[in-house]
């Protein structure tokens, strides 16, 4: 009983630290110059390195909690309700698909992360379609699928490295 | 690298290549298999703002309570001249004239779309 309690407190503290770390990473990404300034709205999504790590090392629920808190906090601190809707839709779709793909055990961490990267963009495009009431922005998805693949690849490599190296 | 790792890597590569191939095919269809349009439709925050003929040169101020975009129609093409949004991505967009092409200013919620008034919709991918 006492041991179980200690375990839960340990997990709570750990998830809190990871949440603040994710928040810091989204801030760092926001102040860094964009990577491809030619293509708007393309980001690597540093906080997702942690989300991948939590998904594999702790579980889906934990990853969802940290992801949601990070998005809510960064929208409160640096964004607005609109950025919250965009981030939330992307994160929700990408985490759902990543959790399913991870369960099938068919793909590596990098493969799962690439799917997450693409789905993240898809979620945001769908929100843009809803907010603008047009499906025309849909063909931007062609570009974003490729950049999402690259971002997912990079994030997946970093995540896989953390999963292997970091002991929690 | 163990055997299962190699198998997963293979699955990864197949999965990603198939996905990107399908998306590229859709994209190619979308970009190239459509004719020229003759009308630009402007919507602001989902509401129709107006329709303008492409063959008539004009400078159009798209003004709302808190935003201002200037659309120029010149030589049968439309482009965004100025925008008071923070990123100004729409002003970098190349001029549009094909049916279905659009310039979107996300911050100001302005969508400018080219449509073909006459003839049936050549739009293959909905």
């Amino acid at each position: 009983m006492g041991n179980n309690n200690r375990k839960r407190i340990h997990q709570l503290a750990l998830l809190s630290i990871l949440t603040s770390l994710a928040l810091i990473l989204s801030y760092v990404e926001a102040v860094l110059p964009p990577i491809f300034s030619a293509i708007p709205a393309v980001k690597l999504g540093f906080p997702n390195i942690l989300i991948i790590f939590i998904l594999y090392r702790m579980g889906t629920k934990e990853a969802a909690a940290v992801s949601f808190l990070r998005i809510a906090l960064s929208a409160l601190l640096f964004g607005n309700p609109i950025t919250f809707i965009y981030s939330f839709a992307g994160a929700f779709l990408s985490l759902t698909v990543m959790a399913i793909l991870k369960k099938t055990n068919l793909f590596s961490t990098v493969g799962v992360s690439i799917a997450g990267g693409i789905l993240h963009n898809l979620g945001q495009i769908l929100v843009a379609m809803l907010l603008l009431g047009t499906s025309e922005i849909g063909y931007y998805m062609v570009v974003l699928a490729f950049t999402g693949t690259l971002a997912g690849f990079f994030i997946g490599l970093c995540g896989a490295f953390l999963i292997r190296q970091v002991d929690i | 690298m163990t055997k299962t790792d190699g198998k997963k890597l293979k699955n990864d590569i197949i999965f990603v290549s198939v996905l990107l191939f399908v998306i590229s095919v859709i994209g190619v269809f979308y970009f190239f298999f459509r004719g020229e349009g003759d009308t630009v439709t402007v919507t602001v925050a989902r509401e129709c703002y107006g329709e303008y003929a492409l063959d008539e040169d004009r400078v159009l101020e798209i003004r709302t309570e808190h935003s201002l975009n200037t659309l120029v129609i010149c030589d049968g093409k439309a482009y965004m001249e100025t925008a008071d949004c923070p990123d100004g991505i729409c002003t970098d967009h190349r001029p549009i004239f094909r049916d279905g092409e659009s310039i979107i200013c996300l911050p100001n919620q302005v969508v400018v779309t080219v449509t073909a008034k006459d003839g049936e919709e050549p739009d293959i991918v909905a």
Side-chain angles (χ1 to χ4, degrees), chain A residues 40 105-108 130 136 146, chain B residues 8 11-12 24 46 89 100:
Chain A
N105 211 21
L106 283 172
F107 305 103
S108 74
L130 274 179
E136 278 311 317
F146 283 89
Chain B
K8 281 183 176 179
N11 283 341
D12 283 355
S24 307
R46 309 186 67 157
I89 287 164

Side-chain angles (χ1 to χ4, degrees), chain A residues 9-167:
Chain A
I9 293 168
H10 175 254
Q11 197 183 32
L12 180 65
L14 190 61
L15 285 173
S16 313
I17 294 168
L18 286 168
T19 305
S20 37
L21 200 53
L23 193 60
I24 292 167
L25 284 179
S26 46
Y27 178 68
V28 167
E29 185 156 55
V31 293
L32 279 180
I35 307 156
F36 301 114
S37 46
I39 314 170
V42 172
K43 282 201 292 185
L44 279 174
F46 292 143
N48 297 323
I49 299 172
L50 293 174
I51 302 304
I52 287 271
F53 175 73
I54 299 167
L55 180 67
Y56 273 83
R57 291 295 290 270
M58 299 173 83
T60 307
K61 261 185 286 174
E62 288 80 357
V66 170
S67 186
F68 178 76
L69 281 174
R70 186 227 115 208
I71 289 163
L73 287 171
S74 68
L76 266 176
L77 291 172
F78 328 115
N80 56 54
I82 302 290
T83 59
F84 174 77
I85 300 170
Y86 277 103
S87 318
F88 180 78
F92 180 78
L93 210 58
S94 105
L95 194 60
T96 310
V97 170
M98 286 200 296
I100 293 168
L101 288 185
K102 176 184 165 263
K103 240 189 183 133
T104 65
N105 211 21
L106 283 172
F107 305 103
S108 74
T109 320
V110 178
V112 170
S113 171
I114 289 175
I118 297 173
L119 263 292
H120 205 107
N121 289 333
L122 183 65
Q124 297 187 324
I125 286 284
L126 290 177
V127 170
M129 282 180 176
L130 274 179
L131 287 182
L132 296 168
T134 173
S135 59
E136 278 311 317
I137 200 170
Y139 67 79
Y140 194 42
M141 191 58 221
V142 178
V143 180
L144 287 186
F146 283 89
T147 59
T149 303
L150 287 178
F153 180 73
F154 171 78
I155 297 297
L157 280 184
C158 296
F161 177 78
L162 276 187
I163 293 163
R164 251 201 335 268
Q165 302 289 334
V166 177
D167 195 28

Side-chain angles (χ1 to χ4, degrees), chain B residues 21-105:
Chain B
F21 179 74
V22 169
I23 290 173
S24 307
V25 169
I26 294 174
V28 164
F29 267 90
Y30 218 96
F31 276 114
F32 296 110
F33 286 83
R34 56 185 179 194
E36 295 183 14
D38 49 24
T39 312
V40 271
T41 310
V42 179
T43 62
V44 181
R46 309 186 67 157
E47 278 175 27
C48 190
Y49 187 88
E51 288 190 352
Y52 310 91
L54 259 182
D55 50 15
E56 232 173 277
D57 290 2
R58 69 164 84 221
V59 177
L60 177 71
E61 289 195 341
I62 306 164
R63 199 184 281 276
T64 68
E65 278 168 51
H66 32 253
S67 71
L68 172 65
N69 294 54
T70 326
L71 183 77
V72 174
I73 300 174
C74 182
D75 296 333
K77 296 179 181 185
Y79 60 94
M80 200 71 87
E81 176 74 28
T82 63
D84 61 355
C85 59
D87 51 27
I89 287 164
C90 55
T91 58
D92 295 333
H93 203 290
R94 70 188 187 288
I96 56 172
F97 59 97
R98 287 193 194 88
D99 182 28
E101 273 188 315
S102 59
I103 299 177
I104 293 168
C105 178

